[in-house]
Amino acid sequence: MGKKYHNLDGVENTKSFSDFRKWMKERKAKKKDLSVSIERLDNPQTEEVSANRSKTSVTWIGHSTFLIQTGGINILTDPVWAERMGMQRRLTKPGMPIRALPEIDAVLISHGHYDHLDFASIRRLKGDPVFYVPEGLGTSFKRRGYKNVKEAAWWDVFDKEDVRFTFVPAQHWTRRTLWDTNTSHWGGWVIEHKGHSIYFAGDSGYFRGFKEIGEKMSVDAVLMPIGAYEPEWFMKVSHINPEDAVTAYLDLNAKGPFVPMHYGAFRLADDTGPEALERLLAEWEKRALDPEKLNVMKIGETWWV
C-alpha cells in the first residue's frame, strides 16, 4: 500500500455510508431553488487580460479556478471547465472560455478531487506550463505525458522567474477512485512577487493551520472558499462555512481583501451560491469589518491588483 496523507492533529473525514444515506434523506426533504445563481460579468475583459504582461491581475473563472497574472507570468489555479460534476450540470458557465486564455506558464493544483483537477480541461490549455501538484499526484500527470511536474509537500517552496510559490497546509482529504483515498496530499498556495502575496486556500475545513500560515508568511489578498458546507454535521471537517471563513481570514492577519470562491458553480452540497454569499455578507457586517476589505467578484470579473 502506498503512502497515506493526513491532516494536522489527526483530524480525519470518517463519514460512513450510513452517514451518506442520512444526508441524502435530508436532501430530499429540503427544497432548494437552484435556478437563482450568483452574478456573472456580461463583458469580461478577455482581450485586456490576454494581452497583459506587466500588471498583476486576478480573474475569477468560477469555483476554485482563477487566472492570476503577476511577474509577467500567467498562473491557473485548479483549472476546471467541466460542464458537469458527476450527475449534476454546472450551475454557472465559466467566466472566460478556455480558448480565450493566454498561454499558461504555471498551474497550481490544491488536491485531486474532480472539481479541482480536470484533466480534460488541462489538455486544452495553451502553452507549456509547469504543473505544481501535491505530493502523490505527480504520477497521475506523468502517465498522461506531462513531464514538467513538481510535487510539493507542505511548506515546500518553488521559484519560477521572479514569482515564488509556497505549498501550505489545508484540512481536507482526496480521492479519485475507490482505491486511492488520501494517497495524495492537499493544501493551498501562496503566490509571492516583489513583496506582494496572494493566498489561494484551495479547499479546507477550519483549522489551526490558518494561524500558522499567518504567522509564517506575510499574506495580502486571500482567495477563500465559502461553499459546500451544508449539512454541516457531514461537511464541517473538510469544507469551511462562511462564518468560519471570516475567522480564518482574521487568523491569517491578511493586509489585503477577502475574495470568496468555491461557491455557485457546482452543487457539491446542499447550500446554494446565493445562500453562502448572504451568510458571508451578514457575518462581515456583524463583525463590523471594513467593507473595502471584502472583494466579492462576479464570475468572469478581473481585479487589477
Side-chain angles (χ1 to χ4, degrees):
M1 182 178 292
K3 181 177 179 179
K4 292 278 189 175
Y5 293 87
H6 305 279
N7 289 308
L8 293 175
D9 304 322
V11 174
E12 293 185 22
N13 186 331
T14 56
K15 297 297 183 291
S16 66
F17 183 68
S18 294
D19 291 327
F20 181 77
R21 290 181 62 188
K22 177 184 175 184
W23 170 26
M24 290 300 100
K25 186 176 181 179
E26 287 182 4
R27 171 176 276 193
K28 287 183 179 180
K30 297 174 183 177
K31 293 183 178 180
K32 296 283 185 172
D33 184 0
L34 299 179
S35 67
V36 180
S37 61
I38 61 176
E39 288 190 84
R40 187 177 186 272
L41 200 65
D42 292 331
N43 299 299
Q45 296 177 286
T46 304
E47 292 184 4
E48 296 92 328
V49 169
S50 294
N52 178 41
R53 294 294 180 271
S54 58
K55 298 178 182 178
T56 296
S57 77
V58 176
T59 301
W60 191 28
I61 307 300
H63 199 53
S64 299
T65 307
F66 289 87
L67 171 63
I68 299 172
Q69 299 176 300
T70 191
I73 67 173
N74 296 315
I75 305 158
L76 270 182
T77 65
D78 289 356
V80 176
W81 269 259
E83 295 182 0
R84 306 186 72 90
M85 195 56 53
M87 300 297 292
Q88 300 284 341
R89 183 176 292 277
R90 191 175 185 129
L91 299 173
T92 49
K93 292 182 180 180
M96 183 184 292
I98 197 167
R99 64 180 180 277
L101 291 175
E103 291 193 355
I104 302 302
D105 301 291
V107 173
L108 305 180
I109 302 295
S110 66
H111 67 293
H113 278 146
Y114 283 90
D115 59 313
H116 295 260
L117 173 56
D118 178 42
F119 283 107
S121 297
I122 285 173
R123 285 196 298 271
R124 297 165 62 195
L125 298 179
K126 291 182 285 188
D128 184 24
V130 182
F131 295 94
Y132 299 90
V133 308
E135 201 171 53
L137 260 185
T139 301
S140 296
F141 281 79
K142 291 176 181 176
R143 71 167 176 254
R144 289 172 170 85
Y146 300 104
K147 297 179 180 179
N148 205 351
V149 181
K150 308 289 186 184
E151 280 198 338
W154 286 346
W155 301 112
D156 279 354
V157 176
F158 306 87
D159 292 318
K160 183 167 179 57
E161 299 179 26
D162 293 331
V163 181
R164 172 162 288 188
F165 306 123
T166 304
F167 189 56
V168 295
Q171 181 172 287
H172 204 57
W173 69 291
T174 193
R175 182 175 68 200
R176 289 183 70 84
T177 73
L178 293 175
W179 306 278
D180 64 353
T181 300
N182 295 347
T183 57
S184 62
H185 219 339
W186 46 86
W189 290 94
V190 178
I191 304 162
E192 298 174 282
H193 177 252
K194 291 187 176 179
H196 187 272
S197 65
I198 298 170
Y199 167 45
F200 168 68
D203 205 354
S204 183
Y206 178 76
F207 75 133
R208 66 175 175 84
F210 292 117
K211 286 186 178 180
E212 184 181 4
I213 294 165
E215 290 167 354
K216 289 187 174 183
M217 307 199 71
S218 176
V219 175
D220 292 313
V222 176
L223 312 182
M224 178 68 72
I226 66 165
Y229 55 82
E230 184 183 321
E232 295 191 40
W233 65 265
F234 191 94
M235 295 291 183
K236 189 176 181 64
V237 168
S238 303
H239 287 149
I240 197 166
N241 68 30
E243 294 80 11
D244 287 342
V246 175
T247 301
Y249 171 77
L250 298 174
D251 287 348
L252 290 161
N253 197 28
K255 297 184 286 293
F258 178 123
V259 178
M261 65 167 186
H262 201 273
Y263 72 108
F266 302 108
R267 194 187 186 199
L268 303 174
D270 291 346
D271 52 288
T272 68
E275 285 174 342
L277 186 55
E278 183 179 347
R279 282 177 60 166
L280 173 66
L281 295 173
E283 184 67 11
W284 204 265
E285 184 176 356
K286 176 183 175 182
R287 298 195 186 208
L289 299 175
D290 183 355
E292 296 296 319
K293 287 288 188 75
L294 181 58
N295 183 6
V296 177
M297 298 179 68
K298 297 177 182 179
I299 292 177
E301 183 177 354
T302 297
W303 169 42
W304 298 95
V305 181

